[in-house]
Amino acid sequence: MILTDKSNALLNMSGNLPPKVPHAFDAVYKAAVQNVLEAFAPNELIGAHQFRGSQRDRSLGARFLGRRLPQVPPADRVVVANGTQSILMMLLAGLVGRNGRLALESLSYPTLLPFARQLGFQLSPVAMDEEGVLPDHFEAVCRSERPAAYYAMPTLQNPTTAVMSIERRQAIAEICRQYGVTIIEDDIYSLLPKNVPPPLSTFAPEISWYILGTAKSLAAALKVAYVLAPTARAAEERFWPGVRATYWMCAPMNGSVVSSLIEMGAVDVVIDAVREETRARHTLVADRLGSANMRSRPDCLHVWLSLPANRPAIEFVAGVRALGVEVSVSSTYAMDNAPPNAVRFGMGTPPDRAAFERGLAAIADVYL
């Protein structure tokens, strides 16, 4: 049976968006919009750019960042931007630049590949283990290739779901400090798990740019993310109004609505609901694929599924696709052209639990 929706499109399980939770999200989002419309004259709010975000948005963004940091940071070090990708574009262009080098895990966020081509920098992939980047190999790369920056995702790494221990984070931070490598930390998956180590950036704040977006914990299309710069001056210099060739600036209405969600305490309501639904879907994964060689955890938005040697990933993906379901092949994430025999599938893109079960059945049928 072909597992498609009513439009006959493939059921997308290749993405790792948060599951929709309208029972928790809709009412608080409407209330946040209403709060903004009552508090601000629309033309005053939207009639001019708010470079780096308004004072209110940066202050509440600092509070949001404080969910993961040891304390709420100063608002003058915070920039409010139009999603994580736009922050990365600005930082990679300014901190790495043409002919520079970016260190990253050998399996990493695939959008970095087109960024490298567009901005003209080189990638320095680093070997990994179950925690992520290997310190010895990372130091060797820093010594021999002199990367300007390191793109880090130490919590629920994409795609492997790796979580660095505190000891590993301390070691990596010290290597970065020793070799003058700037840390660009993408912590976007960190708000769903309740017990994970503090950000890598906390171990070397003077050389770190810490990014925390909303797209993986609240709703995919909110497109509001916050970046904490090492200093207030660095925030101003790197995200100054004269840089007009990108899309980094957040729409004032969008930033204000997310600020209201933070101010109202509604962020917790949504995150709790997303976490609950994610865990419920992981229970289904364990029931269907409990014997499989896979990596994840109940509060992660994706599963890393290793395949037997006699089941090449490309053939596996094709087999699942023939049943109407899309998953991601490991080569999508390979930065060193040596992908393992594995696939990644996500928790949240199927619109409801029943659709997720149908997609999971297709994955299990091809795997088992």
Side-chain angles (χ1 to χ4, degrees):
M1 179 177 65
I2 302 298
L3 303 176
T4 57
D5 61 22
K6 294 180 180 179
S7 66
N8 293 320
L10 287 167
L11 179 63
N12 179 13
M13 292 182 69
S14 63
N16 64 345
L17 307 181
K20 293 179 181 178
V21 288
H23 63 284
F25 184 85
D26 289 359
V28 297
Y29 187 81
K30 288 177 182 179
V33 171
Q34 189 61 39
N35 286 350
V36 172
L37 294 176
E38 291 176 356
F40 302 98
N43 199 231
E44 287 300 312
L45 179 67
I46 304 174
H49 292 302
Q50 294 178 2
F51 298 110
R52 290 183 281 113
S54 68
Q55 181 62 40
R56 172 179 180 263
D57 291 346
R58 284 186 283 119
S59 294
L60 287 161
R63 186 192 300 183
F64 188 76
L65 291 167
R67 302 173 72 91
R68 285 284 292 136
L69 299 171
Q71 59 189 16
V72 174
D76 60 3
R77 290 172 54 199
V78 176
V79 176
V80 186
N82 179 38
T84 298
Q85 286 188 358
S86 62
I87 293 173
L88 289 176
M89 174 69 83
M90 292 291 290
L91 294 180
L92 294 170
L95 299 174
V96 181
R98 188 163 298 278
N99 299 319
R101 280 195 170 272
L102 177 72
L104 73 175
E105 280 85 356
S106 57
L107 294 164
S108 191
Y109 182 37
T111 300
L112 293 169
L113 291 166
F115 279 172
R117 289 192 294 268
Q118 181 178 350
L119 297 174
F121 62 81
Q122 305 299 312
L123 298 177
S124 293
V126 183
M128 305 172 65
D129 65 4
E130 67 280 356
E131 286 191 27
V133 64
L134 286 164
D136 289 348
H137 191 243
F138 181 60
E139 183 171 10
V141 167
C142 290
R143 186 187 308 114
S144 62
E145 301 187 22
R146 296 291 174 177
Y150 162 50
Y151 172 76
M153 186 177 280
T155 302
L156 298 179
Q157 198 259 357
N158 182 19
T160 67
T161 79
V163 177
M164 276 191 195
S165 64
I166 289 179
E167 294 76 16
R168 180 72 61 90
R169 293 173 196 240
Q170 291 171 328
I172 295 300
E174 187 53 40
I175 293 168
C176 288
R177 186 180 282 120
Q178 179 181 351
Y179 289 92
V181 177
T182 300
I183 297 169
I184 301 173
E185 181 174 6
D186 185 353
D187 206 25
I188 197 166
Y189 298 107
S190 68
L191 293 178
L192 295 183
K194 289 189 173 181
N195 297 300
V196 288
L200 172 66
S201 299
T202 61
F203 300 106
E206 77 282 4
I207 56 169
S208 296
W209 293 80
Y210 176 73
I211 308 167
L212 189 61
T214 60
K216 302 298 185 180
S217 57
L218 298 176
L222 273 183
K223 291 301 178 190
V224 175
Y226 306 97
V227 57
L228 179 66
T231 64
R233 182 176 178 84
E236 292 178 0
E237 290 177 347
R238 194 59 58 202
F239 290 86
W240 69 293
V243 183
R244 304 181 189 277
T246 72
Y247 50 89
W248 67 269
M249 287 176 288
C250 182
M253 182 66 184
N254 209 23
S256 295
V257 170
V258 175
S259 289
S260 286
L261 289 172
I262 297 167
E263 196 170 43
M264 294 160 53
V267 165
D268 290 306
V269 174
V270 179
I271 290 176
D272 286 347
V274 171
R275 184 186 296 117
E276 181 179 358
E277 180 61 25
T278 302
R279 288 178 173 176
R281 296 187 184 198
H282 270 287
T283 298
L284 299 174
V285 172
D287 290 343
R288 279 282 189 170
L289 291 168
S291 62
N293 182 7
M294 60 183 177
R295 293 186 58 182
S296 194
R297 52 181 286 167
D299 35 27
C300 183
L301 293 177
H302 55 275
V303 171
W304 185 242
L305 178 64
S306 295
L307 301 173
N310 63 352
R311 191 77 55 82
I314 292 293
E315 293 181 11
F316 182 88
V317 170
V320 174
R321 199 173 197 278
L323 296 177
V325 178
E326 197 79 70
V327 298
S328 295
V329 67
S330 58
S331 58
T332 302
Y333 310 94
M335 301 293 131
D336 59 0
N337 298 314
N341 193 34
V343 297
R344 194 201 76 173
F345 65 89
M347 294 291 108
T349 307
D352 52 43
R353 210 173 294 178
F356 181 78
E357 287 190 86
R358 293 196 301 272
L360 187 58
I363 294 170
D365 285 349
V366 177
Y367 183 87
L368 300 175

